Amino acid sequence: MNKPQYLRIKDELGSQILAGGLTRLPSERQLCELFATTRVTIREALVQLESSGLIYRADRRGWFVTPPRLRLNPRHTSNFHQIVREQGGVPRTELIEKRAIPVPPGLRERLGLKPLDTVYLLRRLRFADGRAVCYCENHCLPTRVPGLLELDLAGSLTEIYRKHYGLDYARMRLTFHPTALPDEVARLLGATAGLPALRLERLNFDQHGQVLDMDLEYWRHDSLEIEVDTAE
């Protein structure tokens, strides 16, 4: 049986993307003219390509070819800024919110806290080469990093901890699973709500073996791959 037209268009655009040389797709109007079809059909094809991770949409700027994924090795404790730089990119962190809150019940035991103990909550966006790829919530322990909220937090926490508190990330306990982008997270990332995402939780320990903080991260499904060499 013949494929629906939107799948034929998706296959053609996908082949062009994989062959290299494209960084941005023509406008939807231009694609309609190129394939002699309707905007509805073009959008169906583009959504398929977005779901497969080949393209992404930037608000009011059109559709772009997805850059290579960042590689995360959980056996190493490299921070986001270091990972992006090592892979040839330019990192940036944007602080959305910082405040003291009662510890969420689901984190209490892992952080070794009692009911209504306080944690510092940082909500941040992480960018690689100007593209928002990760939404992060950091839950930090005031007893370990007093006065943290008074510092400039639009950067690497690793560097802040080292410079101001003499603390280093030494190991982490990482759990992750595929999920869908929540509406608010999708809005902040400039992505489509409901798209696949990778949800990471990290419980971080310092060089003294003590819990330092807990991270909750949502990564765009097309922005990260996790690789582990068991021989290391």
Side-chain angles (χ1 to χ4, degrees):
M1 295 180 63
N2 291 331
K3 283 185 179 181
Q5 186 183 24
Y6 78 92
L7 288 181
R8 296 199 302 272
I9 294 171
K10 174 233 176 190
D11 290 345
E12 175 61 30
L13 290 174
S15 296
Q16 296 287 342
I17 291 168
L18 293 174
L22 275 179
T23 57
R24 180 176 183 173
L25 296 188
S27 70
E28 292 183 13
R29 180 185 58 79
Q30 291 171 317
L31 289 172
C32 288
E33 295 173 356
L34 179 63
F35 291 102
T37 191
T38 66
R39 181 159 291 190
V40 170
T41 299
I42 290 297
R43 285 182 177 170
E44 288 178 336
L46 294 174
V47 167
Q48 291 281 323
L49 290 168
E50 182 184 31
S51 296
S52 66
L54 286 178
I55 64 173
Y56 69 97
R57 180 167 50 194
D59 288 343
R60 297 180 294 279
R61 293 195 296 126
W63 293 89
F64 293 80
V65 174
T66 305
R69 297 172 187 268
L70 296 171
R71 297 181 303 279
L72 171 66
N73 185 340
R75 294 177 64 90
H76 300 161
T77 56
S78 300
N79 64 74
F80 174 79
H81 284 239
Q82 182 180 351
I83 290 171
V84 175
R85 290 191 193 105
E86 288 176 349
Q87 296 174 37
V90 178
R92 179 168 67 87
T93 295
E94 177 183 308
L95 180 67
I96 302 170
E97 179 185 19
K98 59 177 182 178
R99 60 191 174 102
I101 64 168
V103 58
L107 301 185
R108 200 163 57 210
E109 183 176 347
R110 280 178 284 182
L111 291 174
L113 299 177
K114 303 186 296 296
L116 300 182
D117 278 351
T118 297
V119 295
Y120 293 147
L121 170 65
L122 314 179
R123 298 176 61 235
R124 306 189 300 162
L125 280 180
R126 290 171 170 170
F127 296 78
D129 295 324
R131 182 187 182 219
V133 295
C134 176
Y135 166 80
C136 181
E137 294 181 356
N138 305 98
H139 297 84
C140 310
L141 298 175
T143 54
R144 308 300 318 283
V145 287
L148 179 69
L149 298 187
E150 300 169 13
L151 302 177
D152 179 4
L153 299 173
S156 166
L157 271 187
T158 301
E159 296 167 8
I160 292 170
Y161 284 169
R162 182 178 297 133
K163 177 180 178 181
H164 294 276
Y165 303 100
L167 297 171
D168 285 301
Y169 288 117
R171 69 180 180 92
M172 63 181 170
R173 187 175 301 153
L174 176 68
T175 61
F176 56 91
H177 62 260
T179 186
L181 282 176
D183 290 354
E184 173 64 9
V185 174
R187 183 187 68 79
L188 291 168
L189 290 174
T192 302
L195 271 181
L198 191 63
R199 184 183 189 275
L200 274 66
E201 288 188 2
R202 307 183 203 225
L203 183 62
N204 297 303
F205 299 82
D206 67 16
Q207 71 269 37
H208 309 295
Q210 299 180 34
V211 172
L212 188 50
D213 60 23
M214 177 86 185
D215 300 343
L216 168 63
E217 303 174 4
Y218 285 93
W219 288 80
R220 298 181 66 126
H221 75 297
D222 57 11
S223 65
L224 182 71
E225 64 183 22
I226 295 176
E227 59 178 24
V228 179
D229 186 344
T230 58
E232 292 183 13

